[in-house]
Amino acid sequence: MKSWNGWGDEKNDFDFELNSESQQFIEHRIGKSTPLKDATLAETVAKVPDSRSPEHRLISTAAEDRLRHSRGQSIPDWLAMRSGDFGVFPDGVAFPESSQDVQEILAFADKHDLIVIPYGGGTSVCGHITPEANEKPIITVAMTRMNALMEIDEESQIATFGAGTMGPDIERQLAKHGYTLGHYPQSWELSTVGGWVASRSSGQQSLRYGRIEKLFAGGRIETLQGTLDIPTFPATSAGPDIREMFLGSEGRMGIITEVKVRITPIAEKESFYVAFFPSWQAGLDATRAIVQNSVQLSMMRLSNPIETSTHLRLAGHKNAVNILEGYLKLRGSSEEKCMFTFGTTGTKEQCKSALKLTRKFISKHSGVYTGSSMGKRWEHSRFRSPYLRHGLWDIGVLVDSMETCLDWSSVPAAVEDIQKSIATSLGAEKEEVHAFTHLSHFYGQGCSVYTTYIFRAANSYEETQARWEKLKAAGAEAIVRHGGTISHQHGVGKDHAPYLPKEKGELGIKAIKELCQMFDPNGIMNPGKLVP
Ligand SMILES: Cc1cc2nc3c(=O)[nH]c(=O)nc-3n(C[C@H](O)[C@H](O)[C@H](O)COP(=O)(O)OP(=O)(O)OC[C@H]3O[C@@H](n4cnc5c(N)ncnc54)[C@H](O)[C@@H]3O)c2cc1C
């Protein structure tokens, strides 16, 4: 069972205890901190109020079910889960097992005027699934029992999944047929294919497989106005695309019950490598050249100097890192060096050719290629980072991120401003924030910018929430200032909604609102999210 107040499965030993070097590094950057006291599950279950939901065969009103489906994974969600002060709980959790069950739940909600919150894996980091106080009873619809591979058309390479299927179950079921979806958000272990569509997700290997927009071929959606079956076409010029209406719909228009995805045969070979550039500018120039010359890599990640040194310090291999840094120094690198992680996936020939071409660009931009050993380490720990939140929480430290996507011409100034704005946003209270950045999804036109920040918990949960609000506002305002999208991959939810009008414009927001209203005239589908 999923952890009720953190990341991972309760059966797993998901603790990620920080070693003493890592702790020292963090203390050196932001100072020593004191952990906040955690509420217990029993204490928190005792706070769940009586349910206001009418009875239904598919709806559980058990306090623990309601508690476990109340929140996602944002910092406000963590603070709610750890303090036990959730504020609002859903009045019931529906567990449908088929599209017909979802239809039945929606009809029931319509009849009894219930608020409906679709819930995939609950990995939202922007308050997408947080229930808000409402005089109407609130029902969360947990999709995780709809988790089967329903159909596979190997000739067309299309697979149909229940919308609640999580990343590992998708890959496990496809692997039996020799296929992969290749969609690996860092939240892959716990997020669902329906959630990916509803929040426009992007996986770590989007360079090869594409974002979910490319992978989502069609499917079935239950709405309050009826069922939409979206057929699959390789391409169409028949007017606006219904798939696009539901990509990023965040549970406002209906519940996706079946998702048809484009699949690929499992690649013959896959490897990850690391190189270092002497400066941020060299890294930017090289990665832009690689993507604009269509080199067939499956992933790229360029860490700025602060992220590079943070990763090397937190790697936990002091001697190996010293040897590496000595070698890079001999080759002309300084404190300004930037780590470049990249992957090749495909046939042996494709991988060989992509590596050869990439190494040429690395050399041309004065980079130093260090081979595959650090790449293997990245591969091994690619889904481990979320567990780091536990180790940090235990020493009174929180970690969060802001991400955007911009045209290449805007990237350098935006990176500097976003990172600096976040790092200095607690200056009035003389709090240090450790902020660092990488670029991780690359397009000919631009790339995504991902800034991570580490900060200390305050003396109370309320003050810690206030700190986070300042950090979030500083990062979001800087993104908007530079014309970036408010999210490249995390979506809008509640936390990013105030910044959406800036990029959609008044008319654009009106169009989205009216579309939501067409499907949901009484405003019962996940109100307060996307377009409040
Ligand atoms: C540690 C961590 C790392 C992350 N890394 C990435 C990353 O690399 N890339 C990325 O894209 N995202 C990432 N995320 C964000 C998050 O995982 C994605 O937004 C993901 O797509 C959410 O999927 P989910 O199934 O958990 O949806 P939920 O969080 O349950 O829901 C998200 C939204 O989708 C709606 N929804 C869910 N299922 C359905 C459905 N069947 N029908 C209609 N609406 C539905 C919900 O109502 C809600 O509005 C990360 C999150 C965490 C915590």
Side-chain angles (χ1 to χ4, degrees):
M1 190 185 289
K2 202 175 112 187
S3 161
W4 74 277
N5 66 351
W7 186 255
D9 192 284
E10 272 174 0
K11 279 201 293 278
N12 289 343
D13 175 19
F14 53 64
D15 274 345
F16 195 108
E17 208 179 316
L18 293 178
N19 61 31
S20 59
E21 277 164 44
S22 303
Q23 276 199 41
Q24 275 168 19
F25 173 76
I26 290 166
E27 279 175 19
H28 170 69
R29 294 293 307 141
I30 60 173
K32 202 170 164 59
S33 192
T34 312
L36 290 165
K37 188 176 172 297
D38 287 351
T40 64
L41 178 59
E43 281 164 359
T44 312
V45 168
K47 289 187 185 174
V48 180
D50 288 345
S51 171
R52 301 170 297 167
S53 171
E55 277 184 27
H56 187 280
R57 68 176 184 97
L58 293 166
I59 298 176
S60 160
T61 53
E64 194 170 326
D65 284 337
R66 292 161 58 200
L67 166 72
R68 286 180 180 275
H69 293 86
S70 286
R71 291 289 188 153
Q73 290 286 327
S74 69
I75 295 292
D77 294 336
W78 263 65
L79 296 177
M81 296 186 294
R82 293 295 175 142
S83 63
D85 290 330
F86 281 67
V88 181
F89 292 90
D91 292 282
V93 183
F95 293 99
E97 296 187 8
S98 65
S99 291
Q100 289 69 26
D101 282 353
V102 173
Q103 258 175 31
E104 192 182 320
I105 292 161
L106 287 179
F108 183 74
D110 202 21
K111 182 172 165 203
H112 294 277
D113 206 15
L114 312 178
I115 298 292
V116 177
I117 306 181
Y119 182 105
T123 66
S124 153
V125 278
C126 326
H128 283 97
I129 47 180
T130 306
E132 303 203 302
N134 202 303
E135 60 201 19
K136 300 174 185 176
I138 303 166
I139 300 301
T140 286
V141 182
M143 297 300 291
T144 35
R145 289 189 187 165
M146 295 183 64
N147 59 2
L149 170 59
M150 303 168 76
E151 201 184 326
I152 180 162
D153 171 355
E154 296 198 33
E155 205 172 346
S156 314
Q157 299 190 344
I158 298 275
T160 308
F161 282 98
T165 318
M166 291 185 180
D169 289 334
I170 288 184
E171 291 300 333
R172 190 178 40 75
Q173 295 182 78
L174 286 178
K176 287 185 192 155
H177 300 266
Y179 288 92
T180 177
L181 177 61
H183 189 74
Y184 298 110
Q186 200 187 51
S187 56
W188 176 76
E189 290 178 335
L190 296 176
S191 54
T192 64
V193 65
W196 298 338
V197 173
S199 60
R200 292 190 92 100
S201 161
S202 192
Q204 291 164 345
Q205 283 166 277
S206 65
L207 257 186
R208 174 177 168 87
Y209 299 102
R211 291 164 58 87
I212 199 67
E213 292 97 298
K214 187 176 164 210
L215 298 168
F216 175 45
R220 183 167 191 177
I221 297 151
E222 298 297 342
T223 80
L224 291 159
Q225 304 299 321
T227 304
L228 268 167
D229 275 309
I230 310 179
T232 60
F233 303 111
T236 164
S237 74
D241 193 336
I242 304 289
R243 287 173 315 149
E244 272 295 334
M245 287 186 198
F246 286 89
L247 278 159
S249 55
E250 303 195 349
R252 294 295 316 259
M253 299 179 199
I255 302 189
I256 304 158
T257 56
E258 294 173 17
V259 184
K260 293 180 183 292
V261 282
R262 300 185 170 115
I263 55 174
T264 317
I266 293 172
E268 191 184 347
K269 187 170 162 48
E270 180 160 85
S271 307
F272 299 95
Y273 308 91
V274 166
F276 288 84
F277 291 105
S279 67
W280 181 233
Q281 191 58 51
L284 279 175
D285 292 343
T287 48
R288 183 163 62 83
I290 290 169
V291 72
Q292 289 182 341
N293 281 285
S294 306
V295 179
Q296 298 296 302
L297 291 180
S298 56
M299 67 81 63
M300 293 204 278
R301 173 177 174 143
L302 179 69
S303 301
N304 77 350
I306 308 185
E307 182 168 294
T308 301
S309 67
T310 303
H311 275 304
L312 293 177
R313 297 283 88 76
L314 296 184
H317 308 280
K318 197 173 176 187
N319 292 341
V321 168
N322 284 344
I323 293 168
L324 173 76
E325 291 204 306
Y327 170 67
L328 292 173
K329 211 167 180 180
L330 281 176
R331 300 281 307 265
S333 280
S334 66
E335 290 304 303
E336 291 307 302
K337 65 181 171 301
C338 292
M339 186 161 137
F340 173 48
T341 310
F342 63 98
T344 57
T345 306
T347 61
K348 283 183 190 149
E349 292 73 27
Q350 286 169 334
C351 291
K352 197 172 161 191
S353 143
L355 178 61
K356 195 172 162 196
L357 275 170
T358 307
R359 289 191 64 176
K360 272 192 186 160
F361 281 105
I362 292 170
S363 300
K364 191 171 167 207
H365 293 274
S366 312
V368 178
Y369 169 72
T370 61
S372 62
S373 68
M374 289 180 79
K376 282 200 183 100
R377 217 165 285 149
W378 176 84
E379 186 181 8
H380 172 72
S381 61
R382 63 193 288 187
F383 305 118
R384 294 293 298 164
S385 305
Y387 295 87
L388 183 62
R389 293 162 149 220
H390 290 266
L392 290 169
W393 178 264
D394 290 344
I395 59 164
V397 172
L398 291 90
V399 57
D400 199 12
S401 60
M402 284 298 302
E403 41 85 46
T404 180
C405 191
L406 308 107
D407 292 351
W408 280 112
S409 52
S410 306
V411 169
V415 168
E416 203 179 323
D417 191 16
I418 296 165
Q419 187 177 286
K420 193 169 167 203
S421 301
I422 292 173
T424 56
S425 60
L426 302 182
E429 47 190 292
K430 297 197 168 30
E431 264 308 303
E432 293 290 340
V433 177
H434 184 56
F436 47 91
T437 304
H438 67 254
L439 316 180
S440 53
H441 297 266
F442 293 79
Y443 309 90
Q445 180 187 342
C447 63
S448 73
V449 169
Y450 192 103
T451 299
T452 304
Y453 51 94
I454 296 178
F455 64 104
R456 297 196 304 173
N459 293 328
S460 67
Y461 276 97
E462 293 74 20
E463 289 168 89
T464 308
Q465 167 82 17
R467 270 188 192 171
W468 173 82
E469 282 169 14
K470 283 188 197 158
L471 288 156
K472 185 76 172 177
E477 282 161 19
I479 285 172
V480 169
R481 236 182 349 261
H482 289 272
T485 173
I486 195 58
S487 178
H488 168 265
Q489 63 203 50
H490 290 163
V492 180
K494 191 160 78 90
D495 301 340
H496 293 155
Y499 306 94
L500 195 65
K502 181 79 183 170
E503 69 188 74
K504 302 290 183 201
E506 206 180 313
L507 193 56
I509 291 286
K510 187 164 179 260
I512 299 171
K513 276 190 175 163
E514 293 200 354
L515 194 56
C516 294
Q517 212 175 357
M518 195 283 290
F519 284 111
D520 171 27
N522 298 326
I524 62 171
M525 298 296 299
N526 208 7
K529 319 297 162 46
L530 186 64
V531 278

